[in-house]
Amino acid sequence: QDKEKLEICKLNDPPSAETVKDMIKYARNVIEEFRRAKHYKYILCLTLTPLLELLEICELSLDKMGAVFEDSNVYMLHMMYQAMGVCLYVQDWEGALCYGQKIIRPYSKHYPSYSLNVASMWLKLGRLYMTLKNRTAGVKALKRAIAIMEVAHGKDHPYISEIKKELEDH
């Protein structure tokens, strides 16, 4: 699956090996820069301005990497996941949902069928849909999360009961 995880944009004039190598180096550096900035900004108590700066790092790097990498590329997915996290923290539900929708299909390809990473993303999407009053999509996403979690944790796990109760309450 390495080829899928490092997928390059399908262009008429594909990027050179050197361009791809440089973009991988850039991606690794920006991920490290984001981690440092995130740590530093958490120490500063996370006011809105530093959070928006973190989101800007994500968006700028996604734009730059998107010229070479497909959205399913692990470097793109990493930055989308970080951007989603910032959106969730600042309660930008639409922004978080947009990133989550881009993430879920590649996650479902890259991870095993019953991966808790995939279940966690379905859970987040389900809750976002519910928050945004899209009950149909929310129920569908939460049921997908439950189906994976029942295999991974067992049908009697308290967390699954909690999600089922959440579904009943909506």
Side-chain angles (χ1 to χ4, degrees):
Q1 283 189 334
D2 286 349
K3 189 174 182 179
E4 286 178 7
K5 289 180 180 180
L6 296 174
E7 196 164 359
I8 307 302
C9 288
K10 292 164 184 63
L11 306 167
N12 289 339
D13 186 21
S16 68
E18 188 66 25
T19 300
V20 172
K21 184 178 161 190
D22 289 346
M23 191 55 68
I24 289 171
K25 185 177 179 183
Y26 166 79
R28 289 179 177 161
N29 287 337
V30 78
I31 287 168
E32 187 53 40
E33 174 191 337
F34 182 86
R35 284 186 182 136
R36 281 193 305 272
K38 187 168 131 180
H39 177 73
Y40 178 71
K41 297 201 187 313
Y42 278 128
I43 292 169
L44 292 177
C45 297
L46 290 178
T47 62
L48 190 57
T49 303
L51 285 169
L52 295 178
E53 289 170 7
L54 288 176
L55 188 55
E56 188 175 8
I57 291 171
C58 294
E59 290 170 347
L60 291 172
S61 67
L62 285 166
D63 283 345
K64 184 170 181 169
M65 290 188 297
V68 176
F69 298 150
E70 288 290 340
D71 280 355
S72 61
N73 184 292
V74 291
Y75 296 112
M76 294 288 286
L77 288 170
H78 180 82
M79 291 312 291
M80 283 189 263
Y81 187 82
Q82 297 302 321
M84 182 182 184
V86 174
C87 288
L88 288 169
Y89 197 88
V90 298
Q91 298 181 359
D92 173 6
W93 309 132
E94 289 88 1
L97 180 63
C98 183
Y99 284 114
Q101 289 170 326
K102 289 180 181 180
I103 292 169
I104 192 61
R105 187 169 289 118
Y107 262 38
S108 298
K109 271 177 42 180
H110 294 329
Y111 287 107
S113 300
Y114 298 104
S115 166
L116 291 176
N117 290 320
V118 177
S120 173
M121 188 55 62
W122 279 120
L123 185 61
K124 287 176 186 172
L125 285 171
R127 288 176 172 160
L128 283 165
Y129 283 125
M130 293 297 208
T131 299
L132 293 168
K133 308 292 186 227
N134 185 344
R135 188 182 189 316
T136 303
V139 167
K140 185 177 176 182
L142 290 173
K143 284 183 175 181
R144 290 181 99 162
I146 290 169
I148 294 169
M149 293 169 73
E150 284 180 340
V151 173
H153 290 306
K155 293 181 186 277
D156 298 332
H157 195 278
Y159 199 48
I160 294 168
S161 301
E162 184 181 310
I163 299 166
K164 286 180 177 179
K165 175 146 178 35
E166 194 176 322
L167 269 172
E168 290 169 12
D169 292 346
H170 274 66

PDB file of all heavy atoms in Angstrom, residues 87-102:
ATOM      1  N   CYS A  87     -10.183  22.990  13.776  1.00  0.00           N
ATOM      2  CA  CYS A  87     -11.582  23.393  13.533  1.00  0.00           C
ATOM      3  C   CYS A  87     -12.490  22.917  14.668  1.00  0.00           C
ATOM      4  O   CYS A  87     -13.359  23.670  15.134  1.00  0.00           O
ATOM      5  CB  CYS A  87     -12.075  22.851  12.200  1.00  0.00           C
ATOM      6  SG  CYS A  87     -11.357  23.660  10.752  1.00  0.00           S
ATOM      7  N   LEU A  88     -12.289  21.681  15.106  1.00  0.00           N
ATOM      8  CA  LEU A  88     -13.091  21.168  16.225  1.00  0.00           C
ATOM      9  C   LEU A  88     -12.861  22.008  17.477  1.00  0.00           C
ATOM     10  O   LEU A  88     -13.808  22.352  18.188  1.00  0.00           O
ATOM     11  CB  LEU A  88     -12.757  19.698  16.504  1.00  0.00           C
ATOM     12  CG  LEU A  88     -13.258  18.693  15.473  1.00  0.00           C
ATOM     13  CD1 LEU A  88     -12.636  17.311  15.729  1.00  0.00           C
ATOM     14  CD2 LEU A  88     -14.778  18.607  15.495  1.00  0.00           C
ATOM     15  N   TYR A  89     -11.601  22.349  17.732  1.00  0.00           N
ATOM     16  CA  TYR A  89     -11.267  23.103  18.946  1.00  0.00           C
ATOM     17  C   TYR A  89     -11.922  24.488  18.941  1.00  0.00           C
ATOM     18  O   TYR A  89     -12.385  24.959  19.975  1.00  0.00           O
ATOM     19  CB  TYR A  89      -9.758  23.223  19.108  1.00  0.00           C
ATOM     20  CG  TYR A  89      -9.358  23.615  20.500  1.00  0.00           C
ATOM     21  CD1 TYR A  89      -9.160  22.656  21.478  1.00  0.00           C
ATOM     22  CD2 TYR A  89      -9.219  24.954  20.857  1.00  0.00           C
ATOM     23  CE1 TYR A  89      -8.818  23.008  22.774  1.00  0.00           C
ATOM     24  CE2 TYR A  89      -8.878  25.317  22.146  1.00  0.00           C
ATOM     25  CZ  TYR A  89      -8.683  24.345  23.103  1.00  0.00           C
ATOM     26  OH  TYR A  89      -8.359  24.701  24.378  1.00  0.00           O
ATOM     27  N   VAL A  90     -11.972  25.140  17.774  1.00  0.00           N
ATOM     28  CA  VAL A  90     -12.563  26.484  17.704  1.00  0.00           C
ATOM     29  C   VAL A  90     -14.058  26.424  17.360  1.00  0.00           C
ATOM     30  O   VAL A  90     -14.687  27.443  17.118  1.00  0.00           O
ATOM     31  CB  VAL A  90     -11.812  27.411  16.711  1.00  0.00           C
ATOM     32  CG1 VAL A  90     -10.378  27.606  17.142  1.00  0.00           C
ATOM     33  CG2 VAL A  90     -11.909  26.919  15.283  1.00  0.00           C
ATOM     34  N   GLN A  91     -14.611  25.218  17.354  1.00  0.00           N
ATOM     35  CA  GLN A  91     -16.030  24.968  17.099  1.00  0.00           C
ATOM     36  C   GLN A  91     -16.479  25.434  15.713  1.00  0.00           C
ATOM     37  O   GLN A  91     -17.597  25.898  15.524  1.00  0.00           O
ATOM     38  CB  GLN A  91     -16.893  25.589  18.198  1.00  0.00           C
ATOM     39  CG  GLN A  91     -16.598  24.982  19.548  1.00  0.00           C
ATOM     40  CD  GLN A  91     -17.440  25.544  20.666  1.00  0.00           C
ATOM     41  OE1 GLN A  91     -18.264  26.423  20.469  1.00  0.00           O
ATOM     42  NE2 GLN A  91     -17.233  25.020  21.862  1.00  0.00           N
ATOM     43  N   ASP A  92     -15.584  25.268  14.737  1.00  0.00           N
ATOM     44  CA  ASP A  92     -15.935  25.490  13.333  1.00  0.00           C
ATOM     45  C   ASP A  92     -16.390  24.144  12.791  1.00  0.00           C
ATOM     46  O   ASP A  92     -15.624  23.393  12.196  1.00  0.00           O
ATOM     47  CB  ASP A  92     -14.722  26.024  12.549  1.00  0.00           C
ATOM     48  CG  ASP A  92     -14.972  26.118  11.053  1.00  0.00           C
ATOM     49  OD1 ASP A  92     -16.118  25.881  10.601  1.00  0.00           O
ATOM     50  OD2 ASP A  92     -14.009  26.412  10.319  1.00  0.00           O
ATOM     51  N   TRP A  93     -17.665  23.817  13.063  1.00  0.00           N
ATOM     52  CA  TRP A  93     -18.183  22.493  12.744  1.00  0.00           C
ATOM     53  C   TRP A  93     -18.179  22.217  11.238  1.00  0.00           C
ATOM     54  O   TRP A  93     -17.865  21.108  10.813  1.00  0.00           O
ATOM     55  CB  TRP A  93     -19.589  22.305  13.307  1.00  0.00           C
ATOM     56  CG  TRP A  93     -19.728  22.653  14.760  1.00  0.00           C
ATOM     57  CD1 TRP A  93     -20.697  23.440  15.315  1.00  0.00           C
ATOM     58  CD2 TRP A  93     -18.898  22.240  15.865  1.00  0.00           C
ATOM     59  NE1 TRP A  93     -20.511  23.548  16.684  1.00  0.00           N
ATOM     60  CE2 TRP A  93     -19.416  22.818  17.046  1.00  0.00           C
ATOM     61  CE3 TRP A  93     -17.755  21.463  15.971  1.00  0.00           C
ATOM     62  CZ2 TRP A  93     -18.849  22.629  18.302  1.00  0.00           C
ATOM     63  CZ3 TRP A  93     -17.181  21.271  17.228  1.00  0.00           C
ATOM     64  CH2 TRP A  93     -17.732  21.844  18.378  1.00  0.00           C
ATOM     65  N   GLU A  94     -18.519  23.226  10.438  1.00  0.00           N
ATOM     66  CA  GLU A  94     -18.537  23.031   8.982  1.00  0.00           C
ATOM     67  C   GLU A  94     -17.130  22.751   8.457  1.00  0.00           C
ATOM     68  O   GLU A  94     -16.940  21.877   7.607  1.00  0.00           O
ATOM     69  CB  GLU A  94     -19.135  24.246   8.259  1.00  0.00           C
ATOM     70  CG  GLU A  94     -20.627  24.425   8.448  1.00  0.00           C
ATOM     71  CD  GLU A  94     -20.983  25.254   9.676  1.00  0.00           C
ATOM     72  OE1 GLU A  94     -20.064  25.725  10.402  1.00  0.00           O
ATOM     73  OE2 GLU A  94     -22.186  25.423   9.930  1.00  0.00           O
ATOM     74  N   GLY A  95     -16.157  23.505   8.953  1.00  0.00           N
ATOM     75  CA  GLY A  95     -14.771  23.290   8.536  1.00  0.00           C
ATOM     76  C   GLY A  95     -14.285  21.905   8.924  1.00  0.00           C
ATOM     77  O   GLY A  95     -13.660  21.199   8.118  1.00  0.00           O
ATOM     78  N   ALA A  96     -14.591  21.496  10.151  1.00  0.00           N
ATOM     79  CA  ALA A  96     -14.185  20.166  10.624  1.00  0.00           C
ATOM     80  C   ALA A  96     -14.835  19.077   9.773  1.00  0.00           C
ATOM     81  O   ALA A  96     -14.179  18.104   9.392  1.00  0.00           O
ATOM     82  CB  ALA A  96     -14.557  19.991  12.096  1.00  0.00           C
ATOM     83  N   LEU A  97     -16.115  19.251   9.458  1.00  0.00           N
ATOM     84  CA  LEU A  97     -16.826  18.273   8.639  1.00  0.00           C
ATOM     85  C   LEU A  97     -16.209  18.173   7.246  1.00  0.00           C
ATOM     86  O   LEU A  97     -16.013  17.074   6.716  1.00  0.00           O
ATOM     87  CB  LEU A  97     -18.310  18.639   8.533  1.00  0.00           C
ATOM     88  CG  LEU A  97     -19.169  17.688   7.706  1.00  0.00           C
ATOM     89  CD1 LEU A  97     -19.208  16.297   8.337  1.00  0.00           C
ATOM     90  CD2 LEU A  97     -20.580  18.251   7.559  1.00  0.00           C
ATOM     91  N   CYS A  98     -15.864  19.300   6.678  1.00  0.00           N
ATOM     92  CA  CYS A  98     -15.264  19.314   5.344  1.00  0.00           C
ATOM     93  C   CYS A  98     -13.961  18.507   5.336  1.00  0.00           C
ATOM     94  O   CYS A  98     -13.741  17.677   4.446  1.00  0.00           O
ATOM     95  CB  CYS A  98     -15.014  20.760   4.917  1.00  0.00           C
ATOM     96  SG  CYS A  98     -14.361  20.912   3.257  1.00  0.00           S
ATOM     97  N   TYR A  99     -13.120  18.726   6.323  1.00  0.00           N
ATOM     98  CA  TYR A  99     -11.863  17.960   6.403  1.00  0.00           C
ATOM     99  C   TYR A  99     -12.148  16.479   6.661  1.00  0.00           C
ATOM    100  O   TYR A  99     -11.547  15.612   6.045  1.00  0.00           O
ATOM    101  CB  TYR A  99     -10.937  18.520   7.484  1.00  0.00           C
ATOM    102  CG  TYR A  99     -10.249  19.788   7.059  1.00  0.00           C
ATOM    103  CD1 TYR A  99     -10.522  20.998   7.675  1.00  0.00           C
ATOM    104  CD2 TYR A  99      -9.311  19.790   6.026  1.00  0.00           C
ATOM    105  CE1 TYR A  99      -9.903  22.175   7.276  1.00  0.00           C
ATOM    106  CE2 TYR A  99      -8.686  20.953   5.617  1.00  0.00           C
ATOM    107  CZ  TYR A  99      -8.983  22.146   6.246  1.00  0.00           C
ATOM    108  OH  TYR A  99      -8.364  23.302   5.844  1.00  0.00           O
ATOM    109  N   GLY A 100     -13.076  16.204   7.555  1.00  0.00           N
ATOM    110  CA  GLY A 100     -13.409  14.813   7.868  1.00  0.00           C
ATOM    111  C   GLY A 100     -13.921  14.055   6.657  1.00  0.00           C
ATOM    112  O   GLY A 100     -13.580  12.882   6.455  1.00  0.00           O
ATOM    113  N   GLN A 101     -14.724  14.711   5.846  1.00  0.00           N
ATOM    114  CA  GLN A 101     -15.246  14.066   4.638  1.00  0.00           C
ATOM    115  C   GLN A 101     -14.124  13.747   3.647  1.00  0.00           C
ATOM    116  O   GLN A 101     -14.203  12.764   2.918  1.00  0.00           O
ATOM    117  CB  GLN A 101     -16.305  14.952   3.979  1.00  0.00           C
ATOM    118  CG  GLN A 101     -17.586  15.020   4.780  1.00  0.00           C
ATOM    119  CD  GLN A 101     -18.540  16.079   4.266  1.00  0.00           C
ATOM    120  OE1 GLN A 101     -18.146  17.141   3.787  1.00  0.00           O
ATOM    121  NE2 GLN A 101     -19.836  15.802   4.387  1.00  0.00           N
ATOM    122  N   LYS A 102     -13.105  14.581   3.613  1.00  0.00           N
ATOM    123  CA  LYS A 102     -11.962  14.320   2.721  1.00  0.00           C
ATOM    124  C   LYS A 102     -11.084  13.185   3.262  1.00  0.00           C
ATOM    125  O   LYS A 102     -10.442  12.483   2.503  1.00  0.00           O
ATOM    126  CB  LYS A 102     -11.103  15.575   2.567  1.00  0.00           C
ATOM    127  CG  LYS A 102     -11.737  16.658   1.752  1.00  0.00           C
ATOM    128  CD  LYS A 102     -10.800  17.848   1.667  1.00  0.00           C
ATOM    129  CE  LYS A 102     -11.405  18.983   0.862  1.00  0.00           C
ATOM    130  NZ  LYS A 102     -10.483  20.132   0.794  1.00  0.00           N
TER     131      LYS A 102
END
